[in-house]
Amino acid sequence: NMAEASKDENIESYSTEATSNLEGAVEEFAETIAEVKSEDANLKVFRSLQIVITGRKRRIGDLGNVESPDDPMKIELMIYNKEHIEQVLDFIKQNGFPAKNEEGSQFIYVRVPKPSRMQMEEIGDDLIRRTNASCSRLVKIKTNTGLRIKAATEKEFIDQRIAGISSKKIERAYDRCTKEIRIIGLMKRREILGRFYTSVEKDDVELLKEIMKRTKLEQQKLATEKLILSESKEISETHNNDDNVQQDVVLEKQNIENLSTNSV
């Protein structure tokens, strides 16, 4: 039945589109979160230092460009207005940061300490916020598609049974993608916090088990690959040795033949 077939395709397009949107959101989250580093804490704290300039409180980040191009522990501060350099330099030193400026240069070079536990935990909290925001995005994608399916069913573009199948597919994709986002977020939190990491979210412990399981599987896979590789290497070496032995036998026969010919 052509009509039935087109209905099936119609509903499939809902679940295919929703799944690809859900997976796209996971990829986007993974990309943005990959750029988060514990050293970001230094820049953040530094940019927000407040100094009084001409009677007004100003953030360092408003007075100059704050960057750490080569080493996260070395900040380069390019002051926009040359008249502020002296004052900003003194202020930075008073705040306990070793800093220097070469005569006539707009740059102030600052050494910063390693981020404190509190600063690290702030990044951890920010990662939780980002994770939750991405999960909310998945909810939106699922809900919107659900509403579209419902409207299509009411208008009888698609029947109840197919709508049910599609909704189940979307639900499964949603669950899988949500779990993925939460795992990516948690792995990043553990990487940033290191020894300061503690389980704070209600599903941290469960997800941690999943991460451990995956890590174990990954290690087993690598070990198996290594084993296969070394075995195939051994086999090829054995073949080479066999070839060498055969070559030796051939040479030996030739030598014997030569000797016998010479002695005649």
Side-chain angles (χ1 to χ4, degrees):
N1 186 334
M2 291 285 288
E4 281 299 310
S6 74
K7 277 184 182 178
D8 280 14
E9 274 170 34
N10 195 358
I11 194 61
E12 270 316 301
S13 74
Y14 284 115
S15 62
T16 319
E17 185 194 343
T19 303
S20 104
N21 287 341
L22 291 164
E23 286 170 355
V26 175
E27 275 170 37
E28 211 172 291
F29 174 69
E31 277 168 23
T32 57
I33 225 155
E35 294 159 10
V36 178
K37 304 181 295 293
S38 59
E39 293 88 4
D40 295 347
N42 289 331
L43 289 175
K44 210 167 148 191
V45 166
F46 199 77
R47 280 195 186 102
S48 59
L49 280 179
Q50 290 194 327
I51 173 174
V52 177
I53 289 238
T54 54
R56 273 181 64 209
K57 252 192 179 184
R58 304 281 295 277
R59 282 164 61 248
I60 292 272
D62 298 333
L63 298 172
N65 185 35
V66 182
E67 274 183 20
S68 61
D70 308 316
D71 174 353
M73 299 304 159
K74 289 179 188 160
I75 287 178
E76 284 186 4
L77 174 63
M78 195 204 75
I79 301 295
Y80 303 131
N81 183 342
K82 278 190 172 169
E83 290 169 17
H84 295 155
I85 293 175
E86 196 93 5
Q87 204 180 337
V88 174
L89 183 63
D90 286 344
F91 170 77
I92 292 169
K93 286 179 178 170
Q94 279 162 19
N95 273 274
F97 296 99
K100 63 176 196 290
N101 156 260
E102 269 133 40
E103 197 63 46
S105 157
Q106 266 177 279
F107 281 95
I108 295 178
Y109 298 97
V110 190
R111 298 272 316 162
V112 287
K114 276 187 160 37
S116 68
R117 178 176 183 160
M118 210 170 88
Q119 290 167 315
M120 303 273 239
E121 282 172 355
E122 267 178 27
I123 296 183
D125 292 343
D126 185 47
L127 285 169
I128 290 174
R129 276 194 294 276
R130 289 185 193 216
T131 305
N132 292 338
S134 284
C135 288
S136 303
R137 197 175 151 196
L138 297 185
V139 176
K140 264 197 196 109
I141 295 169
K142 183 182 80 161
T143 312
N144 287 346
T145 317
L147 291 171
R148 283 166 58 204
I149 291 172
K150 190 168 176 262
T153 321
E154 280 167 5
K155 289 177 182 157
E156 293 183 354
F157 291 147
I158 47 180
D159 64 39
Q160 214 58 60
R161 184 186 64 84
I162 297 174
I165 292 169
S166 187
S167 299
K168 274 204 181 79
K169 276 189 182 177
I170 294 166
E171 192 64 44
R172 276 201 301 272
Y174 164 78
D175 288 342
R176 179 170 51 84
C177 291
T178 301
K179 189 177 187 180
E180 217 44 54
I181 280 182
R182 299 200 67 76
I183 282 176
I184 295 166
L186 174 55
M187 285 170 80
K188 191 69 186 184
R189 237 187 314 141
R190 285 177 70 223
E191 178 200 316
I192 294 275
L193 289 162
R195 62 194 174 89
F196 299 135
Y197 167 80
T198 49
S199 294
V200 283
E201 294 285 87
K202 60 180 184 297
D203 57 356
D204 275 359
V205 178
E206 272 312 302
L207 292 176
L208 212 51
K209 283 181 194 164
E210 175 80 16
I211 292 169
M212 294 308 180
K213 198 169 83 184
R214 285 186 189 188
T215 311
K216 208 170 163 185
L217 284 171
E218 192 57 37
Q219 285 167 346
Q220 283 171 347
K221 198 176 125 199
L222 288 172
T224 312
E225 281 170 7
K226 213 170 163 186
L227 194 70
I228 292 168
L229 201 73
S230 67
E231 278 176 3
S232 65
K233 207 169 148 192
E234 268 176 39
I235 290 166
S236 69
E237 277 173 8
T238 312
H239 276 308
N240 288 343
N241 288 343
D242 288 350
D243 291 347
N244 292 342
V245 168
Q246 280 177 325
Q247 278 175 339
D248 289 348
V249 169
V250 170
L251 286 171
E252 199 58 38
K253 273 175 81 175
Q254 278 177 350
N255 284 341
I256 292 166
E257 279 169 17
N258 290 343
L259 279 171
S260 59
T261 332
N262 290 342
S263 62
V264 167

